């Protein structure tokens, strides 16, 4: 399923506004984290996707909802290395970049007393705009832009101000140019 720009054009700006301003007006138990991310290609059905290793980062707003649960809103950017998906032609290459915009829930196993800590599991869902540039054997190129729905279950550990996490990011809109990857995030939380 591909989202039309005219029909759903309001979604991306609305999510960005929610992400950037969701801390305003919430309780004092709202935290912000910022950190780099490493994305590795994931196996999808019978083959590995043709994306290279990705590097990027993300910004997250996290208001606590209870002693164990927090809401999370994440805005990220991942740029993937140029790859050649066909071993018979090294001049046919692809380069992709994704901008996940997601909302979700995080559950901490240790009861927090104002500040989260310890092991957590998470689930995020949202949009994943993807831009893929394809360079053909004759040197010509083509940009393919697509916005799909994403799902990212994850787990991690928070020690004081440093969080280490892992997510399996899936694009649920299976249309050929989608990105599936293992996402590793190290972030610093601002309490």
């Amino acid at each position: 399923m591909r989202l039309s720009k005219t029909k759903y054009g309001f979604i991306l700006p609305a999510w960005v506004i929610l992400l950037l301003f969701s801390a305003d007006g919430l309780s004092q138990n709202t935290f912000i984290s910022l950190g780099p991310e490493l994305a590795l290609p994931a196996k999808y059905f019978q083959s590995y996707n043709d994306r290279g290793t990705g590097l990027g980062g993300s910004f997250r707003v996290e208001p606590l909802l209870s002693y164990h649960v927090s809401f999370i809103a994440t805005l990220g950017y991942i740029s993937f290395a140029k790859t050649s998906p066909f071993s018979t032609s090294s001049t046919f290459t692809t380069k992709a970049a994704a901008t996940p915009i997601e909302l979700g829930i995080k559950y901490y196993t240790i009861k927090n007393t104002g500040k989260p800590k310890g092991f957590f599991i998470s689930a995020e869902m949202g949009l994943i705009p993807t831009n893929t540039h394809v360079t053909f054997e004759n040197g010509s190129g083509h940009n393919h832009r697509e916005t799909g729905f994403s799902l990212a279950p994850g787990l991690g550990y928070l020690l004081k101000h440093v969080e280490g996490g892992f997510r399996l990011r899936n694009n649920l809109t299976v249309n050929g140019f989608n990105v599936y990857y293992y996402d590793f995030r190290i972030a610093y939380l601002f309490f």
Side-chain angles (χ1 to χ4, degrees), residues 1-2 44-45 128 144 146-150 170-180:
M1 170 190 272
R2 186 173 176 183
Y44 182 70
F45 288 109
I128 184 166
H144 178 80
E146 183 173 59
T147 298
F149 292 106
S150 68
N170 294 290
N171 187 332
L172 302 176
T173 329
V174 187
N175 272 340
F177 284 94
N178 297 318
V179 177
Y180 304 90

Side-chain angles (χ1 to χ4, degrees), residues 16 19 27 35 40 42 46 66 92 97 102 104 109 118 128 148 155 165 174 191:
V16 171
L19 178 66
S27 73
L40 300 175
Q46 298 300 316
S66 73
F92 181 93
E102 297 170 319
T109 57
I128 184 166
L155 53 88
V174 187
F191 291 112

Side-chain angles (χ1 to χ4, degrees), residues 98-160:
T99 310
I101 305 163
E102 297 170 319
L103 301 175
I105 296 289
K106 191 189 270 189
Y107 178 82
Y108 290 92
T109 57
I110 298 174
K111 181 178 177 179
N112 72 65
T113 55
K115 293 183 181 177
K117 61 183 173 185
F119 180 77
F120 64 84
I121 57 173
S122 65
E124 295 175 87
M125 196 167 196
L127 299 175
I128 184 166
T130 305
N131 182 25
T132 303
H133 181 78
V134 179
T135 304
F136 298 103
E137 293 175 335
N138 63 7
S140 65
H142 172 72
N143 279 326
H144 178 80
R145 291 184 177 90
E146 183 173 59
T147 298
F149 292 106
S150 68
L151 176 66
L155 53 88
Y157 194 85
L158 174 60
L159 180 63
K160 297 189 181 185

